[in-house]
Amino acid sequence: MRPVQMKEGVHWVGIVDWNRRNFHGYSKSPMGTTYNNFLILDDKVTLVDTVAEEFWGALQCNLAQVLGTDRKIDYFVINHLEPDHAGCLALAVEKYRPEKIYTSPMGQKAMAAHFHYKDWPVEVVPTGSSISLGKRTLKFIEARMLHWPDSMLTYCPEDRILYCNDAFGQNWATSERWADEVDRHTLEELMKAYYANIVLPYSPVVLKTLSALAEMNLEIDMICPDHGLMLRGDDVPWAIAKYIEFAEQKPKNRAVIVYDTMWHSTEKMAGAVASGLADAGVSVRIMSMKENHHSEVMTEVFDAAAVVFGSPTHNNGILPLMADMLTYMKGLRPQNKIGSAIGSFGWSGECTKILTQWIEDMGMELVDPVKVKHVPTHDTYAQCYEQGKAIAAAIKAKLK
């Protein structure tokens, strides 16, 4: 896509990755993504972030369209060293020979570890540092662990723009550049999916960072993440409020039943639990691990009050896809959840014990599990139905 002028002298020069379906090797991105970066034309021409190395040619084309033949890039600002944002940094340094490369203290360490550079003009800018571009000033705010140690925000008071690397991002490849140009429901769902699968473990940092920004009384007209749509006008306070809501992890009247099954016994039990939940007024989603990626499940679990895990016993353990799901979920550290377990077995019967241990390790409030030998009976279904009602009661108590 061609560069887009955001304000006088400020241009989006990023890349639309229409075909990206696997994001970072662990999360689905069914609608593609973008790698946003920005060129500021001032006395000192400044590039904020780069893009993935595979798009180096397209980035050079975008930059040339804005720079023309007689302007050079004086400064680089690197807010984040992850390869989708700094992948072509070494190539860009070689081509444009910037006077300065600004990054956070942890960014300098990450830059050295990624590129093993020699004689780059790197200057560390901790929180409170600022530089002059001529008519504009850039102010730097470290945002460690939002979501890498090197993460940094860059604020331009003259343009009232916050360049925020991965914060407020969404995976969505579009011809539009602004959130107010696309469907709001889709935007919110994709922002939630991005948060649930990438930012969630760092929710305390999100709240701390947003509180610090509020205390700075920054006037922000635009929020510019490195993925997806940019935000302007009324979308700025909307996005900040959404991120506070996400970070607080207040559960909704929803439950997710995630399971794997061998000969359908656990699957049938899941249906009975769902009936008990639904009859008690809880919205429920059943998700098979054979049909759903762990990131899709996590997006549903994110704002649910309860999660029911199901697996038969397999080799004295649980099925591999459920083990994958539990490992993934535990790493994301969801809060304020109720958990329970279901499963069938043939002879050794460890399934619900193992699932319950995972539930407890994740700090979830436990509702007693249900297991059955081989094939569920009407009595088993009745137990599962009552289990669903018990989970619903726990949800209602939590939501009060």
Side-chain angles (χ1 to χ4, degrees):
M1 302 299 292
R2 291 174 58 83
V4 174
Q5 181 169 294
M6 301 156 50
K7 287 195 173 187
E8 183 67 34
V10 182
H11 299 260
W12 175 90
V13 289
I15 302 297
V16 180
D17 190 348
W18 299 98
N19 296 317
R20 178 65 56 190
R21 296 295 179 269
N22 185 327
F23 188 71
H24 292 7
Y26 61 82
S27 184
K28 291 288 187 181
S29 52
M31 301 180 75
T33 195
T34 69
Y35 312 108
N36 301 332
N37 68 326
F38 311 93
L39 188 67
I40 304 169
L41 303 181
D42 207 316
D43 295 347
K44 295 295 185 181
V45 176
T46 301
L47 181 66
V48 180
D49 290 323
T50 70
V51 298
E53 185 175 6
E54 64 191 283
F55 297 106
W56 168 233
L59 175 59
Q60 291 178 83
C61 181
N62 283 350
L63 290 171
Q65 291 179 65
V66 179
L67 291 170
T69 59
D70 58 346
R71 298 198 73 172
K72 67 185 187 76
I73 301 175
D74 301 290
Y75 295 162
F76 288 179
V77 171
I78 305 301
N79 283 327
H80 186 27
L81 268 295
E82 203 166 1
D84 51 339
H85 307 302
C88 62
L89 178 58
L91 295 167
V93 171
E94 182 178 359
K95 179 178 177 66
Y96 296 107
R97 305 287 181 180
E99 296 173 22
K100 296 285 186 181
I101 303 171
Y102 296 101
T103 192
S104 69
M106 295 301 291
Q108 186 275 327
K109 294 179 180 180
M111 194 178 293
H114 275 83
F115 297 104
H116 313 290
Y117 63 82
K118 293 181 180 179
D119 302 322
W120 283 11
V122 177
E123 186 165 317
V124 172
V125 282
T127 295
S129 302
S130 64
I131 61 172
S132 173
L133 308 185
K135 302 179 184 66
R136 295 174 177 83
T137 306
L138 295 183
K139 298 184 176 183
F140 303 105
I141 305 159
E142 292 177 74
R144 295 189 185 190
M145 298 315 302
L146 186 60
H147 65 129
W148 276 26
D150 61 280
S151 297
M152 180 174 77
L153 312 178
T154 298
Y155 174 66
C156 179
E158 292 80 11
D159 292 324
R160 299 181 179 180
I161 296 177
L162 182 68
Y163 303 99
C164 56
N165 71 79
D166 279 334
F168 302 102
Q170 334 91 44
N171 285 320
W172 196 0
T174 60
S175 56
E176 296 81 9
R177 298 277 67 82
W178 298 101
D180 57 22
E181 298 173 331
V182 299
D183 177 71
R184 178 49 51 100
H185 175 73
T186 304
L187 175 73
E188 184 173 344
E189 287 300 301
L190 292 174
M191 187 182 289
K192 182 178 84 168
Y194 190 97
Y195 192 98
N197 287 281
I198 296 168
V199 185
L200 181 58
Y202 315 108
S203 291
V205 180
V206 171
L207 292 173
K208 181 180 178 180
T209 302
L210 292 178
S211 176
L213 289 176
E215 290 175 3
M216 293 177 191
N217 294 314
L218 304 181
E219 297 183 55
I220 303 174
D221 286 350
M222 295 179 178
I223 291 177
C224 297
D226 278 358
H227 292 291
L229 284 304
M230 299 177 291
L231 303 127
R232 61 186 175 186
D234 291 341
D235 286 337
V236 169
W238 173 83
I240 292 172
K242 273 293 160 193
Y243 250 53
I244 292 171
E245 176 188 321
F246 292 163
E248 289 176 340
Q249 299 188 64
K250 294 179 180 177
K252 297 181 180 178
N253 187 35
R254 298 181 58 249
V256 176
I257 302 173
V258 53
Y259 74 95
D260 200 1
T261 194
M262 194 180 303
W263 298 112
H264 303 292
S265 292
T266 302
E267 182 176 58
K268 293 172 182 176
M269 296 170 75
V273 177
S275 293
L277 282 159
D279 287 353
V282 175
S283 177
V284 62
R285 177 87 187 268
I286 302 177
M287 304 187 78
S288 164
M289 285 309 304
K290 287 186 173 65
E291 307 300 332
N292 295 279
H293 190 263
H294 59 223
S295 62
E296 295 168 327
V297 174
M298 196 61 218
T299 301
E300 292 294 328
V301 166
F302 173 60
D303 58 4
V307 192
V308 181
F309 302 92
S311 174
T313 299
H314 177 249
N315 294 336
N316 304 110
I318 57 176
L319 285 174
L321 290 177
M322 276 306 299
D324 166 81
M325 182 70 245
L326 288 159
T327 301
Y328 184 71
M329 188 181 297
K330 184 180 178 183
L332 289 166
R333 300 198 289 273
Q335 303 295 310
N336 303 321
K337 305 292 184 196
I338 296 160
S340 192
I342 55 174
S344 61
F345 67 100
W347 45 93
S348 59
E350 294 92 342
C351 54
T352 53
K353 180 180 178 181
I354 292 169
L355 294 172
T356 295
Q357 186 62 58
W358 279 96
I359 291 167
E360 291 176 340
D361 288 349
M362 287 189 279
M364 296 183 181
E365 177 186 338
L366 180 66
V367 173
D368 289 341
V370 175
K371 70 176 180 178
V372 66
K373 188 169 184 177
H374 287 303
V375 178
T377 64
H378 288 295
D379 286 344
T380 309
Y381 293 138
Q383 290 179 54
C384 291
Y385 180 85
E386 291 303 320
Q387 180 189 22
K389 291 182 69 176
I391 296 167
I395 290 173
K396 293 185 187 304
K398 178 176 282 291
L399 295 182
K400 284 182 180 179

